[in-house]
Amino acid sequence: MKTDFKFSNLCGTVYRKGNVVFTPDGNSIISPVGNRVTVFDLVNNKSETLPFENKRDIRRLALSPNGNLLLSVDELGQTLLVNFRKRTVLHYFNLKDKVRDIVFSPDGRYFAAALGRNVQVWHSPGYVREFAPFVLHRTYAAHYDDVTSVSWSPDSRFFVTAGKDMVAKVFSVDPIEGFVPATLTGHRHAVVSAWFARDMRAVYTVSADGAVCVRRFRLQGVDENLTFGEFPIVTSDSDDDEEKPRTIWYTESRHYAQQSARVHSAAFNWATNLMVLGFTNGVFGIWEMPDFNLVHTLSISRKQINTIAINPTGEWLAFGAAKLGQLLVWEWQSETYVLKQQGHFYDMSCVAYSGDGQYVATGGDDAKLKVWNALSGFCFITFSEHTSSVTAVQFTKGSQVVLSASLDGTVRAYDLVRYRNFRVFTSPTPVQFTSLAVDPSGEIVCAGCQDSFEIYVWSMQTGKLLDVLSGHEGPISALAFRPDGLSLASSSWDKSVRFWDVFDRTKVVERMEHSHEVLALAYRPDGKELCASTIDGQIHFWDVAKAAPAGSIEGRRDIAGGRSATDRQTAENSSAGKSFTSLCYSADGTAVLGGGNSKYVCLYDRRSRILLRKFQVSQNQSLDGVQHKLNSRNMTEAGPRDLIDSDGIDSDSEKHVDRSLPGVRSGDKSNRVLKPEVRTRDVKFAPTGRQWAAASTEGLLIYSLDETLVFDPFELDADVTPDSIRDLVRTGDYLRALVNALRLNEQHVIRSVYESVPPKDVALLARAFPAVYVERLLKFIAHAMESSQLLELHLKWVSELLTTHGGFVKTRSVALQPVLRMLQRNVVRLHQDIGSVCDKNYYSLGYLLRQSKHVPEAQEGTDGDVDMHQVFADFSDDGE
């Protein structure tokens, strides 16, 4: 089994805090998710998490106008310079203060960062690695309180800043003759944001109380407004100050957004002159400037809107609500959602893959069950019927039904075809379910509880309670059916694992004793072995047929995590988090994956009992338990410095920060910031064996095999080279060419040979194809289906190979199971995509031809339907 799994995507979370940014083409949106960055492609309906991490949660993002450079700034001002197109980090830099806003100039030459009461303007770095790419241009210090936003003028010569001192200020990047930095007053609350108009004839400012001011620029004593940036020229022979023309800013009009809540975020678009304001009650409004004409308002969330972004054309509006983890993209002209995603409100507790690996279901402490598309990374359905935490999730074999167990005392079955809860399983007395298992046929549902120590058995068809399995003396921690469905295994805190025959209760219940409490268990895919983890950090293996131990793994040191900010003991001496709470076998049964209440996920070889890989799910220091050693300088009289909200910037409502005394900036020391603890509550391997998922504090982490640059030959000889393979293709010896390409195992060589095979020769080649290479060819076809458009060629190869080598595939069904599931997933996906397109085209053509004057009445049947065969015949006649 290959172990080079790498982080590929983050699905369970779409937005945490900070600002969201549109790409220059307006088709994608960039969102900060913890200390990572996720890109949502709104046109192709895909999401991608970039392969780098900040040290802490990301606070601000800035993308250059050409879309090449991305600045990612965390909570303490540490900045990553990223080549956005190549997804690589170019440089690390520290701005040495908390950044409230950072934005590139329209020409891309500078970027401005708001640091406390100052604004720093930096030269934009290049696109290659440099020794010192960040060069400071100038520092501007004029505000008496924190700067809240920075906005550039269209010509990139000026920028306007907004501050909590209730003023906005206009600065120039370089000294300009006739220009004096201006201070725009008149607001009674903190100024949220300020912008230049596109023609630079006005500056718009908005404050937290909803007041919007339109500022104009003109000569003193003259009624005609000027374009800002065109200053009157002072002649050199004019020495009298009274003769010099003076320019002033004045407030032309003042408007108020009639909302009961405060303004928390704002955005302005030059292309449409639209101003969008987001309020603390979850309502946003769109106004047309400069007349402040209301376009419409809409309530999109129950919590405040933390960030707003507008795409360059002004058609799409993006909103982020940090409290609920919501990310919305709204098309204001048609009043429809382009994107509407929300992660779990609390921690994600469990995860399960569907049988074909196409869907991933997650349950959370927010009592919701979400189903995600594994390919696109989007959530397409959310079930909220539970009233308490969801503790276990599982798919049936056909992947059309997903079941969930909850602490509310119910097990619910959901139909993924009609998206409804069609069955509810309950117990005679109220209990709290913590584990769930479904037999391979999908007819029997079992759930274990933590208070009465019993296992309840229901019928899926009738929903009736069939049996109650008693015998455990502690809470049930895990349930698992054997892959052949003959027995049910249960683990408990009573230090035992028991085997039950749910179809024949006359058989004796086998009991496997352990030295400590059992936390998790898992069956090997062939059903011949079972592994169980205990609270002392060990993984025990059992031979199911002999009911005898087959070995153990001491994983206490491997799973040990970091030190919490409130721990009195070091990480080495602490006993917390040194056990596996979730186990899973790989698809081929050669490895075991384990996760627990720490930052690590461990991958062990089943046969040799050695550690193959140890994955760190997060390096985010904003989470508790990531660091092994703590700095004593961060410990204060009021507690750990990281848990004190000293400036109110991370608080839900900054207005509660105590600033009653003049000059006090530290706020109330009793305010605390929630610091979640890093942990992995559930791990699962995909049925294809090419990826695994972990339900962690950060969200649903997906790790996949990266084989793009790996040279992995198979039975390679010295005469097998790319040139010799091309010669075989030119001579028409496609069989030898394809076999040699699979031996060389270079993907581009295999693709060129595979696509050069004539379709009429596929059946003949499949009959003579060596059986030892069938698995490799099927695996290549499964991957090619995801990106190639040669659908007929793929299906012909698959059909001929499975028909000719059916006996070989049947004898090696267990080893070929991941490949066959991958093929099934891709074929089903292509069938759904093509079917929807064909149905749409069929009815569209019927509608168009009915409206056409060239369709005679005779072509219509008695029921008014159009004869499509006659229509296509007319098409061919017209073409001739």
Side-chain angles (χ1 to χ4, degrees), residues 261-276:
R262 295 165 60 89
V263 176
H264 192 270
S265 54
F268 180 75
N269 181 256
W270 283 334
T272 57
N273 282 332
L274 292 181
M275 177 185 294
V276 184

Side-chain angles (χ1 to χ4, degrees), residues 114 143 145-151 160-169 190-194 205-206:
H143 284 273
D145 207 338
D146 290 339
V147 180
T148 56
S149 72
V150 180
S151 179
V160 56
T161 63
K164 289 186 176 181
D165 54 359
M166 299 181 290
V167 299
K169 292 180 178 290
V191 181
V192 176
S193 190
T205 59
V206 56

Side-chain angles (χ1 to χ4, degrees), residues 368-538:
K368 291 183 180 180
L369 173 67
K370 293 179 176 289
V371 185
W372 308 78
N373 189 309
L375 184 62
S376 66
F378 284 109
C379 174
F380 63 90
I381 185 65
T382 300
F383 300 104
S384 55
E385 282 78 7
H386 283 295
T387 57
S388 187
S389 300
V390 178
T391 55
V393 175
Q394 191 165 350
F395 281 92
T396 58
K397 189 175 182 180
S399 302
Q400 293 185 348
V401 176
V402 60
L403 295 100
S404 62
S406 172
L407 295 180
D408 62 1
T410 62
V411 174
R412 297 178 181 268
Y414 300 93
D415 185 0
L416 293 183
V417 178
R418 298 176 179 86
Y419 300 129
R420 62 186 181 92
N421 178 206
F422 70 93
R423 194 79 73 222
V424 180
F425 307 99
T426 58
S427 59
T429 57
V431 294
Q432 291 182 318
F433 293 115
T434 56
S435 54
L436 178 67
V438 184
D439 76 321
S441 65
E443 297 295 329
I444 301 298
V445 180
C446 300
C449 59
Q450 68 177 7
D451 37 15
S452 64
F453 316 149
E454 296 173 332
I455 302 173
Y456 293 85
V457 184
W458 297 277
S459 170
M460 176 71 81
Q461 290 187 350
T462 63
K464 294 183 179 180
L465 181 64
L466 301 179
D467 201 353
V468 179
L469 308 180
S470 303
H472 278 294
E473 300 174 359
I476 311 297
S477 58
L479 294 176
F481 268 100
R482 209 165 80 179
D484 56 8
L486 296 180
S487 64
L488 171 71
S490 63
S491 63
S492 171
W493 291 9
D494 62 359
K495 306 178 183 181
S496 69
V497 173
R498 303 194 182 202
F499 293 94
W500 314 79
D501 192 332
V502 296
F503 303 102
D504 187 3
R505 290 300 307 278
T506 60
K507 292 185 177 181
V508 178
V509 178
E510 297 184 8
R511 178 186 176 112
M512 295 180 179
E513 294 292 339
H514 294 73
S515 59
H516 293 81
E517 290 82 353
V518 185
L519 302 180
L521 61 84
Y523 266 109
R524 205 169 68 186
D526 58 2
K528 297 180 180 180
E529 186 180 82
L530 179 140
C531 67
S533 66
T534 54
I535 201 170
D536 62 342
Q538 292 193 5

Side-chain angles (χ1 to χ4, degrees), residues 71 77 110 180 195-196 212 262 280 310 341 343 393 412 490 515 549 616 660 697 720 756 771 785 811 849 859 874:
L71 293 177
Y110 304 97
V180 177
W195 312 272
F196 282 98
V212 177
R262 295 165 60 89
T280 55
I310 309 176
Q341 292 288 303
V393 175
R412 297 178 181 268
S490 63
S515 59
Q616 184 172 344
S660 57
T697 309
V720 179
S756 62
M785 280 186 174
T811 56
L849 291 171
Q859 293 182 4
D874 292 342

